[in-house]
Amino acid sequence: MKLNNYPHNQGLYDSAFEHDSCGVGFVVDVKGRADNTIVKQGLQVLERLAHRGAVGADPLTGDGAGILIQIPHEFNVCICEQQGIKLPPAGAYGTGLVFISNNEGLRGICEDAISKIVAEEGQIFLGWRKVPVNDQVIGQSARDNQPDIEQIFIAKGKQVNNQADFEKKLYIIRRKIEKENPASGLYIVSLSSRTVVYKGLLMPNQVSKYFLDLQSPLIKSAIALVHSRYSTNTFPSWDLAQPFRFLAHNGEINTLRGNINWMRARGIDAIVPGGSDSAALDNVFELLVLSGRPIAQVMMQLIPAAWEHNRQMDKKLKDFYQYNACSMEPWDGPAAIAFTDGKNVGAVLDRNGLRPARYIVTHDDLVVMASEVGVLDIAPQNIKQSGRIEPGKMFYIDTEQKRIITDEEVTDEICSQKPYGKWLNDNLVGLEDLPAISSDEKEKLEINLLLKVFGYTREDLKNILRPMSEKGSEPVGSMGNDTPHAVLSQRPQLLYNYFRQLFAQVTNPPIDPIREELVMSLHSYLGPQRDILKESPEHCHRLFVKEPLLSNDDLEKIRHIRKNSFKTKTLSLLFEQDLKNAVQQLCGEVEKAISDGVSFVVLSDRGVSEKQLAIPALLAVGAVHHHLIRKALRTKVGLILESGEPREVHHFALLLGFGIDLINPYLAYEAIALLVEQKEIFIDTLTAENNFRSAINHGILKILSKMGISTLGSYRGAQIFEALGLSADFIEKYFEGTPSRIGGANLAIIEQETKMRHAAAFNNQDALLASGGLYQWRKDGEFHLWNPASISALQDAVRRNDEHRYKEFAELINNQANNPTTLRSLLKFKTATPIALEKVESVESILKRFATGAMSYGSISGPVHETIAIALNRIGGKSNTGEGGEDASRFVRLPNGDLKRSAIKQVASGRFGVNTNYLINADEIQIKIAQGAKPGEGGQLPGHKVSEIIAKTRFTTPGVTLISPPPHHDIYSIEDLAQLIFDLKNVNPKARISVKLVSEVGVGTVAAGVAKGHADMILISGGDGGTGASPLSSIKHAGLPWELGLSETHQTLVLNNLRSRVRLQTDGQLRTGRDVAIAALLGAEEFGFSTAILITCGCVMLRHCHLNNCSVGVATQDECLAKRFAGKPEYIINYLTFIAHELRQIMAQLGIKNMDEMVGRVDLLEVDQAILPWKAKGIDYSKILFRPAIDPSVKTHCTIAQEHGIDAVLDRKLLELSAAAIKSGEKIKINVAIKNSDRSTGAMLSGEICNKYGVKGLSDDTININLHGIAGQSFGAWLVKGVTFELEGMANDYVGKGISGGKIIIYPSRKADYSSEENIIIGNTTFYGAISGEAYICGLAGERFCIRNSGLNAVVEGVGDHGCEYMTGGRVVILGKTGRNFAAGMSGGIAYVYDRHGELTEKCNTEMVELEAMKTDDESFVLGQIEKHLQYTQSKVAKRIIGNFQKEIRRFVKVMPKEYRRVLEERALSEKEKEEVEV
Amino acid sequence: MGNPKGFLKIKRGKTNYRPVAERLKDYDLVFNLRLKRETRDQAARCMDCGTPFCHWACPIGNYIPEWNDLVYSENWEKAFDLLNATNCLPEVTGRVCPALCEAGCVLGINDDPVTIRENELAIVERAFKTGYLKPHIPKKRTGKKVAIVGSGPAGLSCAVELNRLGHYVTLFEKADKLGGIMRYGIPDFKLEKTILDRRIDIWKKEGIEFKTGINVGENIPADKLLADYAAVCLAGGSRVPRDLKVPGRELNGIVFAMDYLTQSNRRVAEPLRLGETIPADQIIDAKGKKVVVIGGGDTGSDCVGTANRQGAKCVVQIEVMPKPQECRTPSCPWPQYPILLKTTSSHEEGCERHWSIITKQFTGSGSRITKLLCAKADSKLQEIPGTDFEVEADLVILAVGFVHPEKKGLLQNIGVDFDQRGNVKTDNNFQTSIKKVFAAGDMHRGQSLIVWAIWEGQQAAEKIHQFLDCPKPR
């Protein structure tokens, strides 16, 4: 047994990609009075968070839970007496639980080893105690892996003077034991004189039942910190349960790989291998605390607030953060962290506030903090304060000082400890401050030749550099990627092309780098670092650079730096013969430079010539960076690259991700100058160069943000990439830690490619630059599967229903022997005993497994969208709305029997058109987490494309820009996704819920989490899928092929025994029956097609979708062009039927009767060795073709339905109580109690009403439901017209999500005496995607109030950060403060803010809105709203304002989107004109 | 793409033909070159497709969308560089190519295709006009010598390509002037011969050696050629005409189109269209005659135009195949090149056209032709009984194609193998059965288009380059 009992890595499953997320909380007595009640309350909080955790295949085994408390001395004395151990006074001994593999004899070995180490450290080993447990209460799989749990006691030695030093000793003892690891499987839960942790592979309600100690009334503590874990896997893991020694973490560290490497690079060995991201964070936290820093300071260091662009932040605090940025990179990712040292307790959020954390302070000095409110029953009259942790702010309690210390006080104290500002002034050198030196670097070679040497094509100039330098924005394209993977391509490729960008999905959210730019930063600090355990003025003796791209002049400044003893040395990247030697030599030279005291090394490939080649820049960077990490020298030097190679954002991201500090892309600059000179762009060179840098900067921020990373500092070296087609030894040596799952090219191949490119350039010097042909097909360019021959064959086949022609098409796609393009092209079917074709599952039955991909009405024209729906409905397949709603008129069957309704209704981040009626008219509701063409990115439909009809289906205003945010703002983690699935299942219990993921390493573990979140179907999309518009770099370089993702998902689900609960679908450039057969053998039950469907309908791959200019009327909203559309449902049906025919033939040949038995039969596939292309000779598919060894009882395709847990929801009761009213439409009033575990209240009720009454709903206030208590998440989701929810109490996150005409009124308990306008009443992300209705909230809302509101009118008394973000319609009245970044991306609707203190100007994001004075119309509207607010909630603020309205109204500011105003004005004008004409 | 909405706003421009009455009086080009602004507008119609079917349909893969874009942005020189990279004779193809590209143009699916051919012509003519098109002498010479036989488009393109790659190229031509069918087969009113001279002057400066009036195999023995050159490319065309062996074929006044056109071209050759002197007894002239052209293809059309200019009394063109459709049929969907009814400028100048006609017999008075005996043909090209009729004729021109290259002389002398159709047989590398000897163009492929001949010449050049053990150009 191992404590961390993941299966060994097998096939595509790799435990490194396990994620977890969770509920976290604490209960604290501010006065520090230790009591058993606190522990009991802590345990109760834990139980009330249960729905945030998860269970796997074994319903009684949770993912882990635990509690951290102060040392219960009284209890310890008692138990030690029983053991004959005499305890010294409290504080003079340390204790902790130890997990030992339950293997006889190990205990003895451990005891010997431990007592030896304790003695070595001069402390006294007191003894052991077996911790009593009741293992009957836990699940089978937890029990099977249950360790022996012992408690250890160590007394303070005489030499140790104080408790702090003793804690250090205990730490050293623990680390020594961990390193010596006397019995594999020994794990020390905690070892401290202050706190003790009880945790295990338990469900929240099992903790106190399992640990008998916790039942003792003698267990007393003033602090109880608890954690409930939701892990993606179901593999038993006792040690990864939380809390850890100092903290409990809800969230995810995205930059973990980099953080670990940087600690290694500093020579610090604190992180225990094999732990989770949270465990690693705890390790470093502990180290820094024990170095003598206050815990608050350590937290500020590891997870700094977004200080860089915060103009309101105090200078002293900013100085502190900048000083720290000089010595350490942030640990970046969504986080709610509770931490304690046993005396002080704190909680923080990540810089963007992506996890919820609410707290309540009572009149009797109790504090309860948790991911949700309502986890402990507190009498309303006892509530002193109801608050939330704010992003970048600390909630802090000092139980010795017996008070809550405000964020201002805590941070002020910490940043006053040292004169950080002065230190920075004296030591930090800014690039801008260096004297200007103009560059006179010139290349010997003629530019055209140089461009060829570095592999530039005409496309690079035209499609990449031109748009960037002309407009300063990233080049955009459309449709998917159908070119060969770098390792399969017959042509030499740049090394960058072997890497794919990774992205966040489900377990953490991507960030919007445009609208939430305030949390992002590109700052760099370069040069030798110092010991992070110390603080000195010299620690900030570094070079500060604002952006990672250097101009030539900037580079010269650094090259000639003379300040503060900085020294720069340039090392050449040129070589003549042997690449391996050259790289090795380079590493040696850098090492030498460091020992010579050089502070910055410039790696330069200037000066290439016929004889001198350049080491591929990325190889050089990876090699040097990793060499220096291994030698613990990386932090001693700044690395700068001067190279002709990088030109695309993907290149720069890779170089930074693999550790370079700064980059000077000199040839890109020269190429831009050439474009200017040749009049390809009509601006001056300097502007063009600046535009280029700005485009790259934005691109880098976008790549960071799609992994949920905010700062370049933490992205650098974080290696957020997966290699596709590079050999293990190559990766190990130069890119250590990067996943690369199919092996492939090694250094010799990379060398050969470099030499080929070089030779070609010099052999034909007069030739033009090569065509490229990557983005636009060229005869002499890169191969495309969709080429004129295959496109015309397919169109011809479907139009004439000519199967022979289809076979020609299929041959063009299936036989890639000469141009291997896809991973599957290298596979072949094994010979098997065939069966007769008649015995194979019928065509009709197979067609039901086919779906079309999500293509929104908006990206494609109405006629196309409807043609596809009709075709799929005719054959029993499923078409997909895509993001953008669907007109309700399509829900009705046509007289000829056809149905234009899409069976799959997609729910994407923009929530456009997602109202109750839309959701109930679905057979499947699909949550789009990512899309293949641009996973992790948002989208934007520019105003000019938002036509009347598009606006109607999306419930927005024609002409107003629509933004889809990168994340779903109600899915920041896996438990949030489970919540959304629950919401949707409630509103439409008949629809199956699917989740669309994109293939990347680790998608299998994410899928396991999704399966545990009760999705009915998981779609694994390939990264090559199509798009209406996406940055070219994302189309090409983000996401992995579905072969990998599907296979990994299938294997992981089988290993977890979750495969039987969920169906798998795959899509992403499926084209033929052979493709489908391979997908089935790799694990899919269902199959999606998109691009091919469009081609049957007339698409000829113009790749102009993003221009609204499709000449064949497919991807356009231009009416005149849409008329050119000539597709028919028959074409689609013909095509899918051909595929089914081809598939059946393959099945017959393989001897398979029906598809279910085909799923996951990888044993029928093998690699076709005969056609391996030259670079891929070393490719290895064994992981893809791996079949896990499993118990025969484990099913390998979906056989059972998910248990959604909607049978006993509160709505069942509401439905019962309102049945008569629903039937008759008569008014009714209902009173019910509610608690935090009552979630999605109102959704099921709304679904039922909508079923009966359609989109019109009931007349206003027909069903009035009064609720009291604390509502769980998604209160009032999709509430329909006619239903009024009046809640007396509080609510959690996602109130009023998608509200479709209902009314929500919330006010604090009438018994509570706190002031509503200063206390939080509803959580984060409320009224997300609201369609229409009314809301009156008497109190404060959390972050992202009314996000993406389409038409709700709301009144609230104050909001957190990002209020009214992405709003497109509706009116919001805010009677109090707003947080930062108000109205970001708000393109429509109006907000009225009662700006009493004149802060709005600072807090508002005015990119899209303007602040205006109120007009008479506005005043009367606002008055009306406040009057209603008063009437419904008896708000004191409302009363006060109305009482002095003439004066108070002057304090209101109107927040008006610029575009929205223009559109409204135009509309008013045209109406006026109409009237005038009529007159 | 400079103007994304161009194709919606601008209509396809028509070729600017000179008035019939005017052009019939001379042998000058039947149309006027377009104005710069018009070309720019037409180029704006190009959609710069992600999958450019024009570029695919073009045998030599002209970078059509790229140069259209550059023309739109008035970057004429760069446009020419791109055109020049794939096509060594755009001034010829720009005038006479049937433009497979335009059949493939995506705009042609539901609109009129872009005027690609004329855009191409405008680019190259502008390059000549501004002096941008200059000789480019190869920077490095490989020292290898290659002989090419035949100066048609295949021989020329092969020579140009090999010369660009640094080889010494000598091109042998049997006739006294260069250009093959381009010079002698195509009438001046479609392709003025000065443009060939203009181009050949440049190539001479680039270092290609042209030897005219030399019939290799007769004037130079094949083995000497093989001894003197590292490689030889045969590009002599397919010049044996298909005959119409029906009774009365021996009558006077029945000529092959190529004989007729060649002589006409010689008679009106520059300078000043004074022409070459042809012995009076050999002159074939349509003046005052009733002319019948048998064969409905482009050559037949050229004969119609020539006969009208010579002053024929009337011209009748007959074709055995049925009348083609006027627009695409489902059996020939986009982007295939459609066989459509084509009315050329020569047809517009006066001509009676008949389809599905079988010529059964020529009859005459004495030794001279006076009549054709014809009948209607069914869809299988079989005679429909009882449909006989007669057509009066003083001059009959046979324009029914070519069968294969002339085997006598060089080919037999050198000893290459032939394929089933009688063309020179090669492997995939354009290499014949004789080592060092390559073949390209119609001689290899059979009768075809100029653009295919150019492609053949380029491909053969690349294979010869590899054969000469030089690294593959990229």
Side-chain angles (χ1 to χ4, degrees), chain B residues 79-112:
Chain B
F80 176 74
D81 287 341
L82 279 166
L83 179 54
N84 189 45
T86 55
N87 189 352
C88 62
L89 281 167
E91 61 273 38
V92 174
T93 50
R95 284 172 167 86
V96 299
C97 188
L100 309 184
C101 50
E102 293 185 22
C105 175
V106 169
L107 203 44
I109 296 173
N110 44 29
D111 198 341
D112 293 323

Side-chain angles (χ1 to χ4, degrees), chain A residues 113-283:
Chain A
I114 292 172
S115 51
K116 191 181 98 223
I117 290 169
V118 171
E120 275 169 18
E121 290 302 319
Q123 310 304 309
I124 304 145
F125 182 74
L126 293 173
W128 293 93
R129 161 195 180 241
K130 187 166 176 58
V131 176
V133 297
N134 174 6
D135 65 5
Q136 293 313 301
V137 299
I138 63 175
Q140 184 64 41
S141 80
R143 192 155 54 234
D144 290 348
N145 294 281
Q146 183 186 200
D148 274 346
I149 304 176
E150 304 283 339
Q151 189 170 9
I152 186 176
F153 292 93
I154 297 169
K156 185 162 70 105
K158 284 205 178 98
Q159 304 88 328
V160 181
N161 293 324
N162 57 41
Q163 201 175 355
D165 287 346
F166 183 46
E167 284 289 299
K168 269 186 222 168
K169 275 287 174 201
L170 291 172
Y171 174 72
I172 292 165
I173 290 168
R174 200 189 87 224
R175 287 297 293 139
K176 277 192 162 180
I177 297 169
E178 280 167 356
K179 275 191 219 163
E180 201 162 293
N181 199 9
S184 70
L186 173 104
Y187 173 79
I188 300 173
V189 177
S190 66
L191 186 57
S192 165
S193 63
R194 289 176 174 148
T195 59
V196 64
V197 177
Y198 286 89
K199 69 174 187 179
L201 188 61
L202 306 166
M203 291 174 68
N205 62 358
Q206 295 167 349
V207 175
S208 59
K209 295 181 191 138
Y210 180 77
F211 287 111
L212 301 177
D213 287 0
L214 293 175
Q215 295 170 11
S216 163
L218 291 179
I219 289 261
K220 289 175 187 168
S221 171
I223 299 167
L225 195 153
V226 297
H227 187 273
S228 150
R229 181 164 184 249
Y230 183 143
S231 162
T232 48
N233 71 69
T234 59
F235 305 127
S237 167
W238 281 76
D239 55 342
L240 290 184
Q242 298 193 34
F244 292 110
R245 288 109 191 177
F246 280 87
L247 56 82
H249 172 216
N250 170 10
E252 175 145 335
I253 303 297
N254 301 321
T255 52
L256 184 67
R257 167 60 48 195
N259 294 125
I260 292 175
N261 275 345
W262 285 112
M263 292 309 281
R264 252 178 87 194
R266 296 184 178 106
I268 291 176
D269 175 29
I271 299 171
V272 182
S276 61
D277 54 344
S278 313
L281 180 67
D282 184 73
N283 290 154

Side-chain angles (χ1 to χ4, degrees), chain A residues 1099-1145:
Chain A
C1099 163
V1100 285
M1101 296 294 274
L1102 279 150
R1103 296 179 185 268
H1104 282 181
C1105 320
H1106 57 295
L1107 301 172
N1108 193 24
N1109 218 19
C1110 177
S1111 82
V1112 289
V1114 173
T1116 182
Q1117 292 309 315
D1118 183 313
E1119 275 181 39
C1120 151
L1121 286 172
K1123 280 189 191 132
R1124 294 184 177 195
F1125 172 66
K1128 292 185 177 144
E1130 289 77 13
Y1131 300 164
I1132 299 170
I1133 295 170
N1134 290 344
Y1135 170 59
L1136 295 176
T1137 309
F1138 291 146
I1139 291 180
H1141 286 172
E1142 189 193 344
L1143 174 65
R1144 290 181 76 238
Q1145 276 157 12

Side-chain angles (χ1 to χ4, degrees), chain A residues 1286-1302:
Chain A
E1286 188 173 330
L1287 171 67
E1288 181 183 346
M1290 292 185 202
N1292 274 292
D1293 295 348
Y1294 321 136
V1295 170
K1297 172 190 294 192
I1299 183 172
S1300 305

Side-chain angles (χ1 to χ4, degrees), chain A residues 645-904:
Chain A
E645 240 182 36
R647 53 215 182 239
E648 289 183 33
V649 60
H650 179 62
H651 300 172
F652 293 99
L654 270 161
L655 293 165
L656 294 162
F658 282 105
I660 201 74
D661 286 306
L662 302 171
I663 304 158
N664 165 253
Y666 63 87
L667 189 56
Y669 295 148
E670 284 198 37
I672 291 165
L674 185 74
L675 288 175
V676 173
E677 186 192 308
Q678 294 187 338
K679 302 210 163 58
E680 294 270 327
I681 40 180
F682 296 92
I683 42 176
D684 65 284
T685 315
L686 191 69
T687 313
E689 214 182 90
N690 286 337
N691 283 348
F692 169 74
R693 270 196 297 272
S694 148
I696 295 290
N697 284 342
H698 278 109
I700 292 170
L701 285 178
K702 179 204 68 193
I703 292 174
L704 257 66
S705 67
K706 68 180 164 192
M707 195 61 204
I709 296 173
S710 328
T711 66
L712 180 60
S714 47
Y715 180 79
R716 183 176 290 111
Q719 308 192 166
I720 314 285
F721 294 91
E722 174 172 355
L724 184 68
L726 291 173
S727 70
D729 55 334
F730 181 77
I731 291 289
E732 180 60 31
K733 199 156 166 59
Y734 306 113
F735 301 96
E736 191 186 336
T738 307
S740 179
R741 299 182 285 170
I742 54 166
N746 55 18
L747 187 65
I749 303 266
I750 301 301
E751 177 170 0
Q752 200 179 337
E753 287 188 300
T754 308
K755 288 182 173 167
M756 278 168 77
R757 194 164 43 238
H758 198 83
F762 282 96
N763 282 339
N764 196 355
Q765 300 195 15
D766 295 328
L768 293 177
L769 292 185
S771 289
L774 213 56
Y775 309 105
Q776 293 180 298
W777 181 85
R778 289 289 181 269
K779 256 186 179 168
D780 54 354
E782 187 54 274
F783 179 76
H784 286 253
L785 278 170
W786 288 123
N787 56 48
S790 60
I791 292 170
S792 46
L794 178 58
Q795 293 191 337
D796 212 10
V798 300
R799 285 177 192 162
R800 292 194 279 164
N801 199 11
D802 179 346
E803 185 139 18
H804 178 72
R805 194 80 166 108
Y806 169 79
K807 282 182 176 152
E808 282 176 30
F809 160 74
E811 174 67 13
L812 285 171
I813 300 295
N814 291 341
N815 180 0
Q816 297 171 22
N818 294 323
N819 288 297
T821 302
T822 55
L823 293 186
R824 59 192 173 280
S825 73
L826 302 184
L827 289 170
K828 64 177 180 186
F829 302 110
K830 282 190 190 160
T831 319
T833 318
I835 54 169
L837 191 60
E838 312 83 77
K839 290 196 174 156
V840 175
E841 184 172 338
S842 69
V843 169
E844 293 67 35
S845 153
I846 288 173
L847 289 176
K848 293 191 173 32
R849 294 170 179 267
F850 290 171
T852 58
M855 294 178 279
S856 70
Y857 169 50
S859 74
I860 56 176
S861 69
V864 191
H865 207 262
E866 293 179 5
T867 301
I868 295 172
I870 289 172
L872 272 288
N873 284 332
R874 281 191 202 165
I875 61 170
K878 291 193 179 82
S879 64
N880 190 321
T881 49
E883 172 170 26
E886 194 164 276
D887 197 279
S889 65
R890 289 172 59 178
F891 302 164
V892 186
R893 208 169 270 282
L894 300 177
N896 72 353
D898 276 336
L899 184 59
K900 291 179 179 175
R901 192 196 86 161
S902 300
I904 307 169

Side-chain angles (χ1 to χ4, degrees), chain B residues 277-318:
Chain B
T277 315
I278 310 288
D281 60 331
Q282 288 174 25
I283 288 183
I284 316 166
D285 196 304
K287 183 161 190 177
K289 286 181 178 158
K290 297 173 197 158
V291 178
V292 174
V293 177
I294 301 179
D298 282 339
T299 307
S301 158
D302 290 348
C303 295
V304 170
T306 304
N308 274 327
R309 277 169 181 70
Q310 288 176 343
K313 196 171 172 189
C314 65
V315 184
V316 176
Q317 188 182 20
I318 58 176

Side-chain angles (χ1 to χ4, degrees), chain A residues 1320-1377:
Chain A
I1320 190 104
I1321 187 161
I1322 60 174
N1324 295 335
T1325 312
T1326 42
F1327 303 101
Y1328 181 21
I1331 303 290
S1332 59
E1334 296 170 53
Y1336 304 91
I1337 309 299
C1338 182
L1340 304 181
E1343 324 313 332
R1344 298 187 170 84
F1345 178 77
C1346 270
I1347 180 168
R1348 255 295 298 123
N1349 177 16
S1350 287
L1352 174 85
N1353 289 346
V1355 183
V1356 66
E1357 302 185 348
V1359 300
D1361 291 352
H1362 314 290
C1364 298
E1365 196 175 14
Y1366 312 110
M1367 195 161 110
T1368 60
R1371 305 275 185 278
V1372 175
V1373 177
I1374 298 171
L1375 304 178
K1377 283 188 179 180

